[in-house]
Amino acid sequence: MSGDIMVNITRAADLLEVGANGAGWTAPLGTTSPGDPAIQPLTPWAPLGAISDDGLVQGFEEDSQSFTPWGLTAPIRTAITSSLRTFSLTAWETGRTTVQALQYRLDAADLTPTAGLTTFAETASPVPDRRAFWFVVLDGDNFQRGFYCPEAEITERSDVTHKQDEVAGFEWTITCYPDSAGNTVYHFDRVPETEAYTGS
């Protein structure tokens, strides 16, 4: 109908993220975070190297229990019974000692070659292998995200395929555990400021 006032749709292209680039690092438990996705992590942080073009998957897995009183068909309360945070990626640099150490639950020092030969054995009784992780997602200089997991470990490892037309990779799911403060993931974001909403 002519004369009607149209609703203005608020959009801001600079608040969209395209994870065009990124990286991951790991360090021993107790290592503090770099604290800023624009800062280069230093030792003891060790890089994971090249990650597959599937990028980094930030996982949210939650279970809940709903409570519906007798006589109603809709719940009046829902309680979160499980809240899990994970990160998934495929590490392509399978020859990097940091990556091998994570895949096989070893210390990187155990992978020092002797006369060019590295040897190790896989135990039939693996033990927990918690470490700190730092992930950065970049969308140019405009959008930078950092994720710090003070206590985490690889809880899922996929099969590794060795073939002519495919890069071998270690596909991991990394589960984040609560630290002494009860937090699983710390976020450090450099993103454009959201403008105040004025109704237009």
Side-chain angles (χ1 to χ4, degrees), residues 50-55 88-93 167-172:
I51 293 172
S52 79
D53 53 1
D54 290 329
S88 301
L89 59 89
T90 300
W92 266 354
E93 295 185 17
V167 174
F170 295 150
E171 184 179 350
W172 300 328

Side-chain angles (χ1 to χ4, degrees), residues 5 19 22 34 41 53 56 74 107 117 139 144 165 179-180 188:
I5 299 175
D53 53 1
L56 179 71
D107 190 306
L117 179 66
D139 186 358
Q144 303 173 336
D165 61 350
D179 63 6
S180 59
F188 301 86

Side-chain angles (χ1 to χ4, degrees), residues 128-143:
D129 184 32
R130 294 191 181 192
R131 310 182 191 213
F133 286 86
W134 172 249
F135 301 107
V136 169
V137 178
L138 305 173
D139 186 358
D141 296 329
N142 194 48
F143 213 110

Side-chain angles (χ1 to χ4, degrees), residues 72-157:
L72 296 182
T73 57
I76 59 172
R77 180 173 176 178
T78 300
I80 302 300
T81 58
S82 174
S83 182
L84 187 66
R85 296 294 177 269
T86 63
F87 290 91
S88 301
L89 59 89
T90 300
W92 266 354
E93 295 185 17
T94 57
R96 183 178 289 273
T97 53
T98 301
V99 173
Q100 286 183 317
L102 287 167
Q103 176 72 9
Y104 299 108
R105 299 183 181 93
L106 301 171
D107 190 306
D110 296 335
L111 297 169
T112 303
T114 301
L117 179 66
T118 301
T119 62
F120 62 91
E122 295 186 55
T123 179
S125 303
V127 296
D129 184 32
R130 294 191 181 192
R131 310 182 191 213
F133 286 86
W134 172 249
F135 301 107
V136 169
V137 178
L138 305 173
D139 186 358
D141 296 329
N142 194 48
F143 213 110
Q144 303 173 336
R145 290 194 185 280
F147 303 101
Y148 170 57
C149 306
E151 292 196 28
E153 70 176 330
I154 298 172
T155 52
E156 292 185 26
R157 294 166 171 80

Side-chain angles (χ1 to χ4, degrees), residues 2 6 8 12 17 19 50 60 74 89 140 156 180 190:
S2 63
M6 297 296 293
N8 291 316
E17 175 205 318
F60 295 82
L89 59 89
E156 292 185 26
S180 59
R190 285 189 175 275

Side-chain angles (χ1 to χ4, degrees), residues 66-76:
S66 297
F67 302 96
T68 303
W70 191 10
L72 296 182
T73 57
I76 59 172

